[in-house]
Amino acid sequence: MRGKAYRGLRDGQLVELVAQKDAGALEALYDRYGRAAYSLARRILTEETLAQDVVQEVFLSLWRDARRFDAGRGTVATYLLSMTHHRAVDVVRREENLRRWRTSDEGLELAPDPKARVEDEVEASERRSEVRAALAELPAAQREALLLAYFGGYTQREVAALVGVPLGTVKTRMAAGMRKMREALQDAGREEQHPWTRR
Amino acid sequence: MDTPMSHSEFEELAAGYVLGALEPDDEHVFQQHMGGCPVCEANVRELEAVVGELAYAAPPVDPPDTVWAGIRREIRPEAAPRRAAIPAAPGAPSGTGGRRRRLLQALAAVAAVVLVVALSLWNLNLRDQNVVYRDRVAALERATQLANDPTAALVKLDDQPGTTGAQATVIASSRQDRGVLLVQNLPPLQRNRVYELWGVPGGDIAKAEKALVFVPLRRQGTQALQFEVPIQPGTAFAITEEPAPDGSDKPTGAPVLVGAPRSA
């Protein structure tokens, strides 16, 4: 089937189609979120084949479990990307020698996106600007704790040791940082964002 | 645990939990608690959204083609056969069916010639898997179909002062109430804005009806977009800028492009 295909469908509709074993719908979701998932996995794992494995597992997991996807628990983007994060962190914990990125800010320099070719990538680069801006607004200590956990895969105890503060302080900083991020990103209205609809 | 945790301590653990950063005993305790606490469950849901969004802070890297190829290989045995049609997006009106007459009128012949010329300039690669190209093929198929419709009109939209080089043509069928918009060189928009195409009965802007909401392509080329709106022989078309994501119910600004059919 060619034609209009899946472009005008919302993420939730695509998941419903995936639940019916529609491969084109899974591919459409991969077109929307595969790059973001891979970029995240690469940043955490640094190693290419491990990152590829994680992304494949995430989308295959959706393929298998789409029937049980509960839109009330969050968006499809959240599902795919937070699962990517969890799996990547699991892998990096197993593969200790991967944990080379001790500095939380490495790799997060603002570089212009190489090629925002299509509408999805334009949206991704806008989301990137927004998230980076929200991160920049955090107090440095909160941002540091957050990023060491998020991209470094460190546990709270490890962060405490790295930074040289008590565990309780790390817990507080992480909680405050995440709370601030949630507020900063809330009015972006991250429900199934696609900039156009067909009426 | 010797001393029971206060609820605020649990709330604090939620952040570490969604980040996967809790020590095993903290994680276990939190999971136990969350099972019976809707407040913490809701909190976790909201924080998971942040975890998902933080992914966009990573430097973007294109996945190699092998990633999707591997997924496709795995799912192929279970994949359902290709569908003949996909479910309509909610709110999309179903087309007015009916048999189409095949007689070519002068106007339809002109439209067909225009399309042939336009197609040859677009240099489409039909094997391109990109969804943007798939949409364009579909729109062109629709446009070709409209060329056979004797009630189809070709409406050239002229750019208004201040718009540099934007061009658009609408091929619209008053019998089918559907059409194709061909547009290029629209100025890029701010993030909170979209373009909106209107069907304007009799040229009366107060009666304008929403036809299509879209954003311009970032690269060169012609965009081909299908739309559905009530169309009469005298219906004009206009494109305005409106707020994202869904545009407006009535035009809120001066048209960027506007055109009327030649004396109906």
Side-chain angles (χ1 to χ4, degrees):
Chain A
M1 176 217 18
R2 296 184 164 277
K4 175 166 70 169
Y6 308 93
R7 191 86 175 129
L9 297 184
R10 297 183 169 273
D11 292 349
Q13 292 172 296
L14 290 176
V15 168
E16 283 172 24
L17 289 173
V18 171
Q20 297 166 44
K21 298 305 180 196
D22 185 331
L26 187 71
E27 187 172 7
L29 284 170
Y30 180 83
D31 284 339
R32 291 181 191 182
Y33 298 114
R35 189 167 182 254
Y38 183 72
S39 304
L40 173 60
R42 270 298 293 267
R43 175 61 177 83
I44 294 173
L45 295 167
T46 68
E47 214 264 15
E48 221 184 279
T49 48
L50 288 175
Q52 291 180 30
D53 287 346
V54 164
V55 172
Q56 286 177 330
E57 279 169 29
V58 166
F59 281 88
L60 287 172
S61 173
L62 177 62
W63 175 256
R64 283 191 300 269
D65 297 333
R67 226 170 276 278
R68 293 193 292 144
F69 177 78
D70 179 3
R73 292 191 52 93
T75 66
V76 182
T78 298
Y79 176 88
L80 290 170
L81 296 175
S82 64
M83 185 186 297
T84 302
H85 181 263
H86 296 326
R87 287 185 184 231
V89 164
D90 284 345
V91 171
V92 88
R93 296 248 175 90
R94 276 198 323 255
E95 317 266 342
E96 264 302 316
N97 56 331
L98 287 178
R99 197 93 62 75
R100 296 192 285 267
W101 293 65
R102 301 236 145 218
T103 318
S104 51
D105 284 333
E106 271 184 72
L108 297 178
E109 330 71 46
L110 183 57
D113 274 337
K115 31 186 173 140
R117 288 180 307 246
V118 297
E119 287 86 342
D120 296 317
E121 290 170 27
V122 169
E123 187 189 321
S125 79
E126 284 164 348
R127 279 170 109 147
R128 179 156 187 254
S129 304
E130 219 164 61
V131 167
R132 286 184 46 82
L135 281 169
E137 303 232 326
L138 295 180
Q142 292 177 14
R143 178 172 55 246
E144 179 185 51
L146 221 153
L147 296 184
L148 281 171
Y150 191 82
F151 287 113
Y154 293 110
T155 64
Q156 288 181 328
R157 213 174 278 279
E158 289 167 338
V159 171
L162 275 171
V163 170
V165 296
L167 174 62
T169 306
V170 170
K171 288 183 179 181
T172 305
R173 287 177 181 177
M174 256 188 226
M178 287 294 282
R179 197 166 47 239
K180 287 210 177 67
M181 290 299 292
R182 175 176 65 197
E183 282 160 19
L185 297 175
Q186 217 154 39
D187 59 0
R190 299 254 165 240
E191 293 295 318
E192 308 259 4
Q193 257 209 359
H194 268 270
W196 60 91
T197 55
R198 296 185 191 278
R199 303 229 173 239
Chain B
M1 300 266 317
D2 292 340
T3 50
M5 280 191 157
S6 68
H7 199 266
S8 63
E9 287 176 282
F10 282 119
E11 283 165 25
E12 204 175 59
L13 286 183
Y17 177 74
V18 299
L19 289 166
L22 291 184
E23 300 300 323
D25 49 352
D26 277 342
E27 177 156 324
H28 178 71
V29 159
F30 184 75
Q31 268 171 339
Q32 296 265 327
H33 167 81
M34 193 176 62
C37 178
V39 169
C40 282
E41 258 191 31
N43 197 21
V44 161
R45 256 202 310 278
E46 293 191 11
L47 293 179
E48 285 277 358
V50 175
V51 168
E53 210 55 33
L54 276 168
Y56 289 95
V61 183
D62 280 327
D65 294 336
T66 50
V67 177
W68 174 252
I71 297 168
R72 187 178 54 216
R73 220 172 16 247
E74 278 290 319
I75 69 177
R76 205 198 298 278
E78 303 165 30
R82 295 279 212 182
R83 296 166 161 268
I86 55 167
S94 53
T96 54
R99 272 173 291 140
R100 283 191 295 280
R101 283 178 282 147
R102 296 245 169 224
L103 295 175
L104 286 177
Q105 308 278 331
L107 189 57
V110 167
V113 167
V114 166
L115 278 174
V116 166
V117 169
L119 275 171
S120 67
L121 293 176
W122 283 340
N123 199 25
L124 288 173
N125 176 2
L126 294 179
R127 276 174 288 172
D128 196 313
Q129 291 297 302
N130 188 289
V131 292
V132 172
Y133 286 101
R134 284 208 284 258
D135 280 358
R136 184 184 286 191
V137 169
L140 292 179
E141 285 172 353
R142 168 70 64 206
T144 309
Q145 192 186 70
L146 287 172
N148 286 334
D149 181 336
T151 70
L154 203 66
V155 181
K156 174 106 176 46
L157 305 188
D158 298 315
D159 65 326
Q160 302 301 285
T163 312
T164 45
Q167 294 178 291
T169 300
V170 162
I171 306 165
S173 160
S174 55
R175 207 248 318 271
Q176 298 180 52
D177 284 346
R178 55 175 74 202
V180 172
L181 168 68
L182 309 171
V183 61
Q184 61 187 32
N185 296 337
L186 277 174
L189 291 171
Q190 292 177 357
R191 187 172 176 272
N192 60 344
R193 308 285 287 166
V194 293
Y195 284 114
E196 188 159 354
L197 173 72
W198 305 90
V200 189
D204 182 356
I205 201 82
K207 301 203 175 105
E209 297 190 64
K210 177 192 279 288
L212 175 69
V213 173
F214 66 99
V215 290
L217 292 182
R218 295 232 331 184
R219 55 187 156 74
Q220 301 288 11
T222 306
Q223 242 171 318
L225 300 162
Q226 300 184 56
F227 64 88
E228 295 174 48
V229 76
I231 297 169
Q232 308 301 325
T235 298
F237 292 90
I239 296 175
T240 62
E241 247 193 72
E242 300 295 338
D246 294 327
S248 309
D249 290 330
K250 286 292 178 204
T252 63
V256 170
L257 285 155
V258 70
R262 289 167 214 265
S263 52

